[in-house]
Amino acid sequence: MSFSEAVQKLQVLELARHSSAYCEGQGIPTNQSYDNWLNKSGSIFSAALVAIEKQVSKQGVSKDDQTAARAIIVNDISKGAQEYLSTKVIDCSRF
């Protein structure tokens, strides 16, 4: 998986996570559906993290810095997903 594909996959996962949290806050139970979907997609998340680490490792940084960079990238993707969703109408019936 390329770095770009990894970022895209993480964006989808984060959009789903934030959407589920929003719907739960609206009193619409979505956590179980989200958890089931995530369990089926778990290997995608892991593969995306590995792809990100590989890209960061090409920069010649230490393993600790690779882990820190991965955390920063995932955090940025999560914030971006949250910001994106703040401008959209979330359809909770999709869960």
Side-chain angles (χ1 to χ4, degrees), residues 24-57:
E24 283 288 328
Q26 299 299 309
I28 301 167
T30 58
N31 278 345
Q32 187 61 49
S33 294
Y34 170 74
D35 288 344
N36 290 341
W37 177 75
L38 186 60
N39 285 336
K40 293 176 187 174
S41 305
S43 62
I44 293 171
F45 181 75
S46 298
L49 292 179
V50 168
I52 288 171
E53 285 181 353
K54 283 182 182 178
Q55 181 65 32
V56 173
S57 72

Side-chain angles (χ1 to χ4, degrees), residues 14-15 18-19 22 78-90:
E14 284 300 296
L15 287 168
H18 288 296
S19 295
Y22 169 82
S78 181
K79 284 181 184 177
Q82 200 168 21
E83 289 171 7
Y84 173 79
L85 288 174
S86 72
T87 66
K88 302 295 177 193
V89 175
I90 297 172

Side-chain angles (χ1 to χ4, degrees), residues 42-77:
S43 62
I44 293 171
F45 181 75
S46 298
L49 292 179
V50 168
I52 288 171
E53 285 181 353
K54 283 182 182 178
Q55 181 65 32
V56 173
S57 72
K58 291 178 183 178
Q59 307 306 313
V61 298
S62 71
K63 190 68 172 166
D64 287 343
D65 287 344
Q66 290 174 32
T67 301
R70 181 188 72 189
I72 291 167
I73 291 167
V74 171
N75 188 47
D76 286 351
I77 291 169

